[in-house]
Amino acid sequence: MLGRQLSRRLRQWVPLALLALFGAAASAAGAYPDRPIRLVVPYTAGGISDVLARTLAERMRKDLGQPVIVDNKPGANTALGARLVASAEPDGYTVLFATGATAVLNPLLYPKLSYNPEKELQPVARIAVTPIVMLVGNSSPHRTLRDLIAEAKANPGKLNYASTGTGSSLHLAVELLQSATGVSLMHVPYNGSAPAQAALMAGDIQFFADSTGSAMGLVRGGKLRPLAVTTRERLPALPDVPTVAESGYPDYEVTTWFGLMLPRNAPPDVVNRLNASVAQAVADRSFRDQFEALGLVVPPALTAAEFNTYIGRERERWAPLIRAKQIVLE
């Protein structure tokens, strides 16, 4: 009799216990984040991208209540870090600190890329925009971009310009300028901004389009002369430097960007939570001031859907130029 009563009670209690257990698990699963987040940065430590990522990570830690751990994974023009995140679990605990190279240029330049950003990565939030500044050395006779273009037209193919590598945003910025102005310049790729800057100061090259984040110290130190910036509006950090559009080429505008991406199929609530955390950071005046002083632009936040549309427009913009110039990387 007692055995039958216990058996009956167990049959009643077990489903209730299982329901409670699964309910608790579902509740825990929905409490994102409940453990540290890994932020994969596909660049070496110490550069502007790393500084931005670490500053954002600390802001997000305070907002999300969990550590956001920066993990530098440089290599293969950001492809190493992108591949790592693309193959991770889409649970929101492995996040990519992405750039225009990662999501826009690489798939247009590399026939064999180790990841597919459209199929394997999901845009989350834009953080900042990186303008480009057109530079000459202090010994250069050119005081304006118009001066440089005039000499280039008079001496086709005789002026050298540096880039940080074939297919880089800095290279493509000058390719676009050549298309807009009809000039012909000689491309000299360097392994990074520092050696290109040194070559410009030494007079080995005549022109370099560099990111403002990299060039700002030398510009403020009077070692390099800025001719124009590539944004639609003048930069607060360089208010006396005209835009390329002001210099006579009204349709010219080039920037690249930093943002966050997740593995494809990440839950919408996770995407929205991370997007909201970035939006809170970029809305803070001290955050904007810090990076605008370094030459970046911190625009208003985009939703994840708006960021996805923005990336799509960038792909559509650069694809024709890359095809026309037949730029292919292996």
Side-chain angles (χ1 to χ4, degrees), residues 291-312:
F291 290 100
E292 287 177 356
L294 297 175
L296 302 187
V297 175
V298 183
L302 299 176
T303 66
E306 289 169 339
F307 185 35
N308 186 52
T309 299
Y310 170 82
I311 291 172

Side-chain angles (χ1 to χ4, degrees), residues 91-175:
D91 54 11
Y93 291 97
T94 304
V95 183
L96 178 65
F97 185 84
T99 67
T102 313
V104 176
L105 299 182
N106 282 355
L108 298 174
L109 293 165
Y110 292 91
K112 297 179 181 179
L113 192 62
S114 62
Y115 66 97
N116 185 324
E118 292 188 75
K119 294 182 178 180
E120 297 181 288
L121 292 171
Q122 183 165 331
V124 173
R126 185 179 65 180
I127 305 163
V129 170
T130 306
I132 293 169
V133 57
M134 307 295 191
L135 300 166
V136 293
N138 273 343
S139 60
S140 171
H142 306 118
R143 297 287 170 176
T144 68
L145 185 61
R146 284 178 179 271
D147 292 342
L148 182 80
I149 297 301
E151 182 176 347
K153 285 183 176 180
N155 300 281
K158 292 188 178 180
L159 293 185
N160 297 330
Y161 78 93
S163 81
T164 54
T166 300
S168 66
S169 59
L170 305 182
H171 171 217
L172 295 176
V174 181
E175 289 292 343

Side-chain angles (χ1 to χ4, degrees), residues 36 43-44 77 83 98 100 103 134-135 137 140 149 172 186 190 225 243 289 291 296 311 318 327:
Y43 294 96
T44 55
N77 198 24
R83 177 69 260 159
M134 307 295 191
L135 300 166
S140 171
I149 297 301
L172 295 176
M186 182 66 67
Y190 286 82
R225 183 186 304 150
T243 66
D289 287 347
F291 290 100
L296 302 187
I311 291 172
W318 287 111
I327 304 171

